[in-house]
Amino acid sequence: MSDESLDARLADVVASIPRGRVATYGQVAELAGAPRAARHVGRFLFHLPDGAGLPWHRVVNARGEIARAPSRRGSDVLQRELLREEGVRFDLNGRIDLADFRWDPGGAPARRRRSR
DNA sequence: ATGCTGACTATGT
DNA sequence: TACATAGCCAGCA
């Protein structure tokens, strides 16, 4: 198996992130079959075209913060706004509480916070 | 093949 | 809690 390239699997994983949830780079990498390739996830997203149709904004770093790219400057602002529209709440530090919004794949259907 | 880079993560101070 | 350093792995020159 794994005939497809890692990028193809990364795309599949990112596309699987449910709305209103976020996943860390390491998490996506692990699900794609490369537990230590968190950095590669960033590279993959960087190469990702605008019309890829992938929820790239749902991928954040392990601290629950939005990573910033040298060339994609401004994407961090857009990302934060998109997430906020999906119901993701940011704290005063501009960070996401991963304890509540981190995507739990395969497991339970992730109960929704009573933020409503 | 060898070496550098990087939208990262974990650990130490 | 924030900043600094080391380790990782896959892509690219």
Side-chain angles (χ1 to χ4, degrees):
Chain A
M1 41 223 289
S2 315
D3 286 34
E4 298 175 289
S5 62
L6 183 56
D7 283 11
R9 275 178 293 174
L10 286 174
D12 189 55
V13 173
V14 174
S16 300
I17 304 174
R19 185 174 172 282
R21 291 272 165 179
V22 296
T24 65
Y25 290 92
Q27 186 178 358
V28 173
E30 184 176 70
L31 292 171
R36 274 22 174 204
R39 307 190 87 163
H40 189 200
V41 178
R43 181 184 290 282
F44 163 69
L45 293 177
F46 181 80
H47 271 273
L48 202 64
D50 293 337
L54 289 176
W56 57 270
H57 55 272
R58 292 182 190 144
V59 183
V60 297
N61 63 22
R63 299 189 327 198
E65 253 250 335
I66 293 175
R68 39 176 170 180
S71 293
R72 299 293 177 196
R73 187 170 49 119
S75 64
D76 53 317
V77 177
L78 174 62
Q79 180 170 10
R80 198 177 115 178
E81 191 162 337
L82 287 171
L83 288 174
R84 207 177 73 162
E85 276 188 66
E86 294 188 348
V88 177
R89 299 191 290 133
F90 290 79
D91 61 18
L92 295 175
N93 286 327
R95 285 187 271 176
I96 303 168
D97 187 350
L98 290 178
D100 288 336
F101 292 100
R102 192 177 190 185
W103 173 40
D104 182 6
R111 81 209 72 166
R112 193 170 283 246
R113 272 246 127 205
R114 72 196 62 133
S115 56
R116 173 163 355 191

